[in-house]
C-alpha cells in the first residue's frame, strides 16, 4: 500500500507554511495570537473581550447554509447592561493568526444571550452568546415569490444577489458559483419561500454542466464565502491540503526519536471512528439500489427507471486516493446494488405543463422536473459521502475549511507486521473535511474535524485471511 510518507508530509506542511515563523511568542503546537474579539452594539457601543473570554467556538459544515459561533466570557463590568448585550444583532468580530499565516477574520451577528450565570458573590457573571452569519437574518426576513426561466445556477445567483448580499468586509459574505449547472433553461416558480429554502430546493434538482451524473450540488458557507458547488468539484485537487497522523504513545516514544514541532502540529490528539458503515441505513436511504416510477397524468403513461451504485460508481469522481479509488465495500460481494425495490419513489409529471407562453414568451420545456435523471443519483451520492466518518481533534489551523481534502495516517490497534508498516490500510487515505469546529481559548487553539470518504484506498478483499493474519502477527511479535 503506497501512502504519503513522512518526507512527503513535511513537503505538504512546508507548502502550507510559506512564511517563516519566528520562534519567539509561540509556546507550542496549539498556540495562536489573538488580536481581538469585539462586540459592537447597534446603538454604537463597542467592547473587546479578548482579555476576559473563556472560549469561543466557530462552526462550519458542508450541509449547513451558514457558519455560526458561540462565545463565553467573564463579565465584571456588567457589559450586558451597559453595552447593552441583548441578542439584537450585535456585531461579533474575531481576529487571530497562527504561526506563519496572515490574520483570519470571522464575522457574526449575535442572536441570543444564552446564559448569564451570576457568581455567589454577585460581583461577576459568566455570559454565553450565540452568533450566526448576517445572511441568516436576511434569509428569515425575506421571501422569494417569483417565476424564473433560466439556468438553475443563474436562478441561484439572482436570488442571492437580490435577497442575501451583505456589505461586510470579510470574504465570507461573497457568492461563488463553483460549478455551472446543465445548459438547459428551466421554468420554476418559487412560491413565497425564504431564499435559503429556494436555493436548497434548486440544488436538489441541479445537474453539472460538464458531468450530468454529478447531481450532488450543495450550498454552504466557509471563510471564503458562500459556495454553490458539487461535492465532485471538491475532489479535483489531487494533493491533500495537509497530512495528519494518529500515532499513539507506544509508537512515538522510541529511542532516537526527537521532538518535532511540525509533527506535533499534525498529530491527531483524539480520534473517533464515528460511522464505519451502517449498511442497513445506506440501503434504506437508496445508496445502493433504487427505483423511480414517473406517471404522466396527461398522456396516461408511466415509466420505471432503476439505479445501481455498482453500475454508476465510476461515472462520478470520488475522494482522490494515493493509489486508486476503490469501491466503498467489497465489490464482488455487493448484493445490495441488485435490489432496486429497497428504495422506491413515485413522481407525477406533466409533459405539456410548461408550454411557450403567448403573453410572456419562453420556449416549451418538455422535461422541466427531470425526476428520473437526478433524484435516484442524488440520493445515492449524498449518502455515499457519509460511508466512512472519522472525527479527529488536532491543533488549530485557521486555513482548514470544510471542503478541503486532507490525508490521514492511522496506526493499527494490533501489533503491526512488516507488510503493514504500522499503518491501518483501510483507515489510511484521503478524506473530505465535511465539518469543522474551531475552538479558541486562552490556553490554545484546537479543531474538531469531521472527515468523510466515499471509497477506499485499498479494496476490501472478496475472501478473508483473518486467522492467517493473526498467526503472522503473533510470529512477528515473538521475533
Amino acid at each position: 500500500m503506497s501512502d504519503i510518507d513522512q518526507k512527503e508530509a513535511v513537503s505538504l506542511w512546508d507548502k502550507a507554511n510559506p512564511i517563516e515563523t519566528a520562534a519567539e511568542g509561540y509556546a507550542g503546537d496549539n498556540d495562536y495570537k489573538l488580536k481581538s474579539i469585539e462586540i459592537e452594539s447597534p446603538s454604537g457601543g463597542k467592547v473587546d473581550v479578548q482579555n476576559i473570554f473563556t472560549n469561543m467556538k466557530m462552526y462550519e459544515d458542508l450541509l449547513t447554509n451558514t457558519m455560526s459561533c458561540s462565545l463565553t466570557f467573564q463579565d465584571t463590568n456588567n457589559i450586558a447592561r451597559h453595552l447593552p448585550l441583548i441578542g439584537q444583532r450585535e456585531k461579533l468580530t474575531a481576529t487571530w493568526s497562527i504561526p506563519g499565516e496572515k490574520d483570519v477574520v470571522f464575522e457574526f451577528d449575535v442572536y441570543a444571550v444564552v446564559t448569564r450565570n451570576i457568581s455567589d458573590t454577585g460581583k461577576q457573571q459568566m455570559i454565553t452568546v450565540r452568533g450566526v452569519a448576517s445572511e441568516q437574518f436576511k434569509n428569515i426576513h425575506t421571501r422569494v415569490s417569483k417565476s424564473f426561466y433560466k439556468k438553475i445556477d443563474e436562478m441561484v445567483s439572482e436570488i442571492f444577489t437580490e435577497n442575501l448580499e451583505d456589505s461586510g468586509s470579510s470574504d465570507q459574505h461573497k457568492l461563488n458559483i463553483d460549478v455551472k449547472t446543465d445548459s438547459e433553461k428551466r421554468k420554476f416558480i418559487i412560491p413565497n419561500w425564504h431564499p435559503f429554502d429556494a436555493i436548497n430546493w434548486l440544488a436538489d434538482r441541479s445537474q453539472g454542466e460538464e458531468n450530468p451524473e454529478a447531481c450532488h450540488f450543495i450550498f454552504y458557507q466557509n471563510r471564503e464565502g458562500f459556495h454553490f458547488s458539487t461535492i465532485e468539484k471538491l475532489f479535483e485537487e489531487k494533493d491533500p491540503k495537509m497530512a495528519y497522523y494518529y500515532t499513539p504513545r507506544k509508537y512515538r516514544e522510541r529511542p532516537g526519536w526527537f521532538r518535532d514541532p511540525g509533527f506535533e502540529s499534525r498529530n491527531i490528539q483524539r480520534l473517533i471512528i464515528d460511522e464505519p458503515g451502517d449498511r442497513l441505513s445506506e440501503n434504506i436511504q437508496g445508496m445502493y439500489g433504487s427505483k423511480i416510477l414517473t406517471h404522466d397524468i396527461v398522456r396516461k403513461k408511466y415509466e420505471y427507471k432503476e439505479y445501481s451504485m455498482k453500475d454508476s460508481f465510476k461515472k462520478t469522481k470520488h475522494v482522490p486516493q494515493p493509489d486508486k479509488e476503490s469501491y466503498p465495500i467489497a465489490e464482488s460481494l455487493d448484493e445490495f446494488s441488485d435490489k432496486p425495490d429497497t428504495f422506491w419513489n413515485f413522481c407525477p409529471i406533466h409533459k405539456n405543463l410548461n408550454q411557450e407562453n403567448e403573453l410572456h414568451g419562453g420556449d416549451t420545456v418538455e422535461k422541466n422536473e427531470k425526476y428520473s435523471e437526478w433524484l435516484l443519483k442524488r440520493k445515492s451520492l449524498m449518502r455515499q459521502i457519509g460511508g466512512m466518518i472519522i472525527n479527529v481533534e488536532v491543533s488549530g489551523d485557521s486555513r482548514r475549511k470544510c471542503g478541503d481534502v486532507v490525508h490521514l495516517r492511522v496506526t493499527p490497534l494490533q501489533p503491526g507486521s512488516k507488510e503493514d508498516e504500522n499503518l491501518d490500510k483501510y483507515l489510511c487515505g484521503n478524506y473530505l473535511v465535511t465539518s469543522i469546529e474551531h475552538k479558541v481559548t486562552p490556553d490554545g487553539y484546537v479543531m474538531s474535524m469531521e472527515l468523510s470518504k466515499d471509497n477506499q484506498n485499498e479494496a476490501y478483499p472478496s475472501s478473508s485471511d483473518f486467522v492467517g493474519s493473526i498467526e503472522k502477527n503473533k510470529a512477528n511479535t515473538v521475533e
Side-chain angles (χ1 to χ4, degrees):
M1 179 188 74
S2 71
D3 197 54
I4 292 181
D5 60 23
Q6 188 81 356
K7 184 177 180 180
E8 291 174 310
V10 171
S11 176
L12 285 174
W13 175 261
D14 291 340
K15 187 187 298 183
N17 292 273
I19 304 174
E20 185 175 352
T21 306
E24 61 271 14
Y26 293 97
D29 48 315
N30 290 345
D31 211 358
Y32 71 109
K33 283 188 175 179
L34 179 63
K35 303 298 177 65
S36 65
I37 301 179
E38 294 182 341
I39 304 174
E40 183 176 0
S41 169
S43 59
K46 180 186 291 187
V47 62
D48 189 341
V49 299
Q50 65 167 314
N51 294 321
I52 58 175
F53 90 109
T54 58
N55 72 76
M56 183 173 182
K57 299 177 182 179
M58 283 137 292
Y59 311 93
E60 49 182 295
D61 193 310
L62 284 181
L63 302 181
T64 303
N65 296 141
T66 60
M67 296 190 298
S68 59
C69 76
S70 67
L71 169 68
T72 301
F73 62 93
Q74 190 172 339
D75 180 17
T76 58
N77 295 311
N78 207 359
I79 294 173
R81 174 190 173 189
H82 297 296
L83 189 60
L85 181 57
I86 57 176
Q88 193 174 350
R89 295 194 67 179
E90 292 86 1
K91 297 296 180 182
L92 173 58
T93 305
T95 306
W96 74 83
S97 64
I98 60 172
E101 182 62 15
K102 61 184 180 180
D103 290 352
V104 60
V105 179
F106 287 92
E107 297 177 342
F108 300 97
D109 284 6
V110 175
Y111 69 87
V113 180
V114 184
T115 57
R116 290 177 60 183
N117 293 328
I118 301 176
S119 68
D120 294 339
T121 62
K123 295 182 179 181
Q124 62 180 15
Q125 59 183 335
M126 195 69 72
I127 298 178
T128 298
V129 300
R130 290 179 182 164
V132 71
S134 58
E135 288 81 4
Q136 185 62 268
F137 275 100
K138 289 194 171 187
N139 173 63
I140 64 172
H141 292 155
T142 309
R143 289 188 177 272
V144 180
S145 184
K146 189 173 184 178
S147 64
F148 295 91
Y149 176 53
K150 55 181 62 179
K151 292 175 56 185
I152 290 182
D153 61 87
E154 294 174 351
M155 298 182 200
V156 170
S157 182
E158 184 174 325
I159 291 172
F160 187 92
T161 302
E162 292 183 355
N163 302 281
L164 297 171
E165 202 162 48
D166 191 276
S167 58
S169 58
S170 174
D171 287 341
Q172 72 182 58
H173 301 288
K174 67 180 181 180
L175 173 65
N176 302 276
I177 302 293
D178 298 326
V179 178
K180 299 287 186 181
T181 57
D182 61 295
S183 58
E184 185 174 346
K185 292 182 179 180
R186 313 283 278 279
K187 289 184 177 180
F188 289 137
I189 297 175
I190 304 300
N192 205 38
W193 288 348
H194 292 299
F196 284 161
D197 294 333
I199 292 175
N200 292 333
W201 186 84
L202 292 170
D204 287 345
R205 286 153 176 75
S206 299
Q207 294 175 271
E209 184 176 47
E210 296 182 0
N211 183 10
E213 299 292 322
C215 301
H216 43 5
F217 272 80
I218 51 177
F219 179 67
Y220 67 98
Q221 183 190 27
N222 60 27
R223 74 171 190 279
E224 294 183 347
F226 287 88
H227 300 267
F228 186 73
S229 173
T230 59
I231 294 178
E232 181 183 67
K233 177 69 175 179
L234 304 176
F235 303 149
E236 288 187 352
E237 192 168 350
K238 295 296 183 181
D239 294 330
K241 297 289 188 182
M242 189 61 69
Y244 293 98
Y245 300 81
Y246 180 66
T247 309
R249 298 176 67 89
K250 65 176 182 177
Y251 288 99
R252 185 167 62 244
E253 293 182 350
R254 296 179 180 177
W257 280 41
F258 298 96
R259 181 174 180 181
D260 177 1
F263 176 81
E264 291 180 357
S265 295
R266 302 190 302 275
N267 193 39
I268 295 171
Q269 302 168 16
R270 179 177 58 86
L271 181 144
I272 298 175
I273 304 173
D274 189 60
E275 187 171 328
D278 184 342
R279 307 307 175 208
L280 181 62
S281 173
E282 290 170 354
N283 273 273
I284 292 173
Q285 295 178 32
M287 174 172 157
Y288 297 102
S290 54
K291 181 185 292 186
I292 186 172
L293 167 64
T294 56
H295 178 226
D296 190 327
I297 59 177
V298 174
R299 295 185 297 162
K300 298 182 180 180
K301 181 180 179 181
Y302 67 88
E303 294 179 350
Y304 283 105
K305 189 169 184 177
E306 296 181 355
Y307 173 86
S308 167
M309 188 182 79
K310 184 185 292 186
D311 297 337
S312 304
F313 187 75
K314 295 182 179 179
K315 295 179 181 179
T316 56
K317 296 177 183 177
H318 301 274
V319 178
Q321 299 297 343
D323 286 342
K324 64 178 181 178
E325 298 170 8
S326 299
Y327 205 61
I329 60 176
E331 186 171 7
S332 60
L333 303 178
D334 178 15
E335 60 182 26
F336 305 139
S337 296
D338 301 327
K339 305 292 190 297
D341 285 329
T342 306
F343 185 76
W344 200 88
N345 298 265
F346 170 73
C347 296
I349 60 175
H350 192 325
K351 181 179 179 181
N352 299 317
L353 182 63
N354 296 281
Q355 295 277 1
E356 179 181 354
N357 190 298
E358 294 181 1
L359 188 62
H360 299 289
D363 299 327
T364 298
V365 182
E366 290 192 4
K367 294 183 177 181
N368 197 51
E369 284 286 359
K370 297 185 177 181
Y371 287 119
S372 60
E373 296 182 26
W374 61 265
L375 181 58
L376 302 184
K377 298 174 189 175
R378 179 175 177 82
K379 292 288 187 183
S380 177
L381 290 169
M382 294 301 290
R383 188 62 182 85
Q384 285 177 40
I385 197 58
M388 170 70 80
I389 297 177
I390 294 181
N391 286 286
V392 299
E393 185 173 288
V394 296
S395 295
D397 187 345
S398 55
R399 295 161 304 195
R400 287 290 69 72
K401 58 187 184 300
C402 59
D404 284 349
V405 173
V406 298
H407 185 76
L408 189 64
R409 287 167 60 95
V410 181
T411 53
L413 296 178
Q414 86 283 1
S417 66
K418 293 180 180 179
E419 295 177 359
D420 283 335
E421 295 182 351
N422 295 334
L423 293 177
D424 190 315
K425 59 185 179 181
Y426 296 129
L427 294 182
C428 290
N430 292 343
Y431 287 77
L432 178 69
V433 180
T434 48
S435 71
I436 304 179
E437 176 192 281
H438 303 269
K439 181 179 180 181
V440 294
T441 69
D443 295 326
Y445 170 27
V446 296
M447 296 186 306
S448 295
M449 296 193 298
E450 181 186 86
L451 308 179
S452 306
K453 65 176 180 177
D454 58 355
N455 61 1
Q456 288 293 331
N457 181 48
E458 182 162 328
Y460 286 116
S462 56
S463 60
S464 174
D465 60 348
F466 178 64
V467 176
S469 298
I470 292 178
E471 296 302 324
K472 183 184 295 184
N473 286 329
K474 284 182 179 179
N476 289 334
T477 303
V478 172
E479 293 177 5

